Amino acid sequence: SVTVDCACGVGALAVEALAAELKKQGVQMDLQIINGHDSETAQLNDKCGAEHVQKSRTFPVSVNVAEAAKSGQWFSSFDGDADRVVLFAAVEEQELELLDGDKILSLFCDFISSLLEQAKLELSLGAVQTALASSLSSPFPITPPRWPDSASASASLLNDSASASASLLNAGLGLQFETDRCGVCSYANGSSTLWIQNEAFAKSTGSKRELAMVATGVKHLHHKALDYDIGAYFEANGHGTVIFNDRARETIKVAAEQPDASQAAKLLHALAHLINPAIGDALSDMLAVVGVLVVKGWGLKEWAAIYKDKPSCMTKVLVKDRSYIKTTADETKVTSPSELQPKIDNQVAKVTGGRSFVRPSGTEDCVRVYAEAPTLEQARELAAKVGEEVTALLG
């Protein structure tokens, strides 16, 4: 059972239709809607939806937190036009356990990599995260390109999605469980990056897995993902997808249709049909997440425990001319002014486990400063120190 916060948007219409289709196909999954399109208690994206939950780390309106904590209910939040999704649960009264885009990407990387290994398929796998990926990092929202009328497009995929969901979900729901390359942008939370490297991809002995860095922005994420047989990317706000190229789809299809096909090949085939390759389909992304969890026999608690986000923060430093700041293509190092990067490195070296990156804003005369550290206080202090170095050089 999943309670879906539809942010008072049109996504509620697609959820209603999908719930009926899942029931028709015998999938044991109950979808309950809060903050629907006809809500009388909330307004579009106002104190509800994926952006609200991910950035504020607070529950959307209409959630009975005490009851949710007691029942262990699963929640999913879309944004108003249903192109972003995060999941969450109430672990204790007033305490929210957030499963954001970084966690979704990590889950998919682990699941797909494991299935490719089991099915003995030589396909490259890639995961890509945007520069502002950390769920605690940025008060500045990114406005990504959206494909038109995402809720209607989701609705048009209901039959295919419900069928694929039945294949994937029924592998785990009911009476029993059956138990390439990767691009991560420079500011993805370090814990996510390390977990993908050291856990999800470390078990691979066959096809290539790689962690690459990309610059900020959906256009960079999508472009890089197309380099791989299977490319996955998610921003922390839950905006993303998994792309299976033609080679991957054909290879998986052939493997899944063999008389002695492995369960891994069949699950990959179902997953490839379930996930919408058009970026920004919260409905199919949510179904894929739930399907993967069910097949693995995990709850949200087990998923949340794969790693703990490092505290991080994003600040901005006002400057006379942001064009003075130049960075490498992946935005991990400052190349101009040349004396700035050594000063950043010096400040980072003072914080065990710290990271900090600087880049010029694309919209205003300021410089974005991102910092990560073992504690939020240390992250804020590191960001302030790096900001002072920027100010000293650029004024």
Side-chain angles (χ1 to χ4, degrees):
S1 176
V2 180
T3 298
V4 185
D5 162 29
C6 293
C8 305
V10 293
L13 298 172
V15 175
E16 290 171 355
L18 179 62
E21 186 65 28
L22 290 173
K23 185 176 181 180
K24 179 181 176 181
Q25 296 214 20
V27 179
Q28 300 178 42
M29 180 177 179
D30 180 31
L31 296 177
Q32 301 291 330
I33 295 174
I34 59 173
N35 303 321
H37 61 92
D38 56 352
S39 174
E40 297 180 355
T41 59
Q43 296 181 343
L44 182 67
N45 291 325
D46 182 24
K47 299 181 181 178
C48 57
E51 281 281 300
H52 167 78
V53 173
Q54 185 261 328
K55 282 187 165 54
S56 69
R57 292 291 183 105
T58 57
F59 296 93
V61 294
S62 306
V63 172
N64 184 322
V65 179
E67 183 178 316
K70 184 177 180 180
S71 66
Q73 176 68 9
W74 292 15
F75 290 87
S76 177
S77 277
F78 297 175
D79 65 336
D81 59 354
D83 68 350
R84 303 175 186 185
V85 60
V86 297
L87 284 85
F88 65 94
V91 290
E92 294 179 7
E93 189 168 347
Q94 303 306 321
E95 183 178 344
L96 182 145
E97 182 73 71
L98 175 67
L99 293 310
D100 64 1
D102 286 349
K103 279 276 172 56
I104 292 173
L105 181 66
S106 299
L107 179 72
F108 285 163
C109 284
D110 180 59
F111 187 66
I112 295 171
S113 182
S114 177
L115 292 183
L116 289 173
E117 194 80 6
Q118 293 172 43
K120 297 180 172 60
L121 298 180
E122 293 292 323
L123 296 171
S124 61
L125 171 61
V128 188
Q129 291 176 316
T130 188
L132 302 181
S134 171
S135 58
L136 295 179
S137 66
S138 175
F140 309 110
I142 298 172
T143 304
R146 295 185 172 92
W147 49 293
D149 196 0
S150 61
S152 295
S154 296
S156 71
L157 293 170
L158 287 178
N159 288 336
D160 289 342
S161 293
S163 177
S165 299
S167 300
L168 185 61
L169 292 167
N170 282 336
L173 285 168
L175 299 178
Q176 59 183 359
F177 290 96
E178 291 192 21
T179 41
D180 297 322
R181 303 197 332 168
C182 173
V184 173
C185 158
S186 53
Y187 302 167
N189 192 279
S191 296
S192 171
T193 304
L194 289 173
W195 193 85
I196 292 173
Q197 287 178 316
N198 299 334
E199 297 293 334
F201 284 179
K203 295 171 281 189
S204 173
T205 59
S207 54
K208 191 171 183 179
R209 314 286 189 266
E210 181 181 287
L211 206 60
M213 296 282 189
V214 298
T216 307
V218 171
K219 64 180 181 180
H220 300 295
L221 302 176
H222 193 85
H223 180 75
K224 187 64 178 177
L226 294 175
D227 287 347
Y228 318 128
D229 293 322
I230 304 172
Y233 62 92
F234 279 85
E235 296 177 299
N237 60 24
H239 189 236
T241 191
V242 179
I243 303 170
F244 293 77
N245 68 12
D246 290 343
R247 175 175 180 266
R249 288 183 179 276
E250 183 61 24
T251 300
I252 292 168
K253 179 177 181 289
V254 170
E257 291 178 349
Q258 297 301 310
D260 59 346
S262 65
Q263 180 71 353
K266 293 177 181 178
L267 288 171
L268 277 171
H269 192 234
L271 186 63
H273 280 76
L274 173 57
I275 294 183
N276 187 350
I279 180 176
D281 186 342
L283 203 59
S284 69
D285 291 341
M286 179 192 70
L287 286 173
V289 165
V290 174
V292 170
L293 292 175
V294 166
V295 171
K296 291 174 73 70
W298 283 8
L300 296 191
K301 180 179 180 181
E302 289 78 13
W303 179 22
I306 61 176
Y307 66 80
K308 183 178 179 181
D309 279 334
K310 289 184 177 180
S312 59
C313 69
M314 176 73 74
T315 63
K316 65 179 181 179
V317 179
L318 298 179
V319 295
K320 295 177 181 179
D321 187 350
R322 66 182 185 274
S323 67
Y324 288 150
I325 293 281
K326 306 292 184 184
T327 69
T328 54
D330 59 14
E331 300 180 339
T332 60
K333 298 289 183 182
V334 174
T335 58
S336 178
S338 59
E339 59 267 39
L340 179 55
Q341 188 59 49
K343 293 180 181 296
I344 295 172
D345 293 339
N346 180 58
Q347 294 297 339
V348 169
K350 298 175 183 178
V351 181
T352 302
R355 298 197 310 166
S356 184
F357 307 103
V358 167
R359 69 173 180 84
S361 168
T363 58
E364 57 183 315
D365 273 330
C366 72
V367 173
R368 310 291 191 198
V369 178
Y370 173 86
E372 221 175 70
T375 69
L376 185 56
E377 182 180 357
Q378 288 176 305
R380 288 171 175 164
E381 183 177 350
L382 177 57
K385 293 292 186 182
V386 171
E388 290 172 2
E389 300 288 6
V390 172
T391 299
L393 281 174
L394 302 184

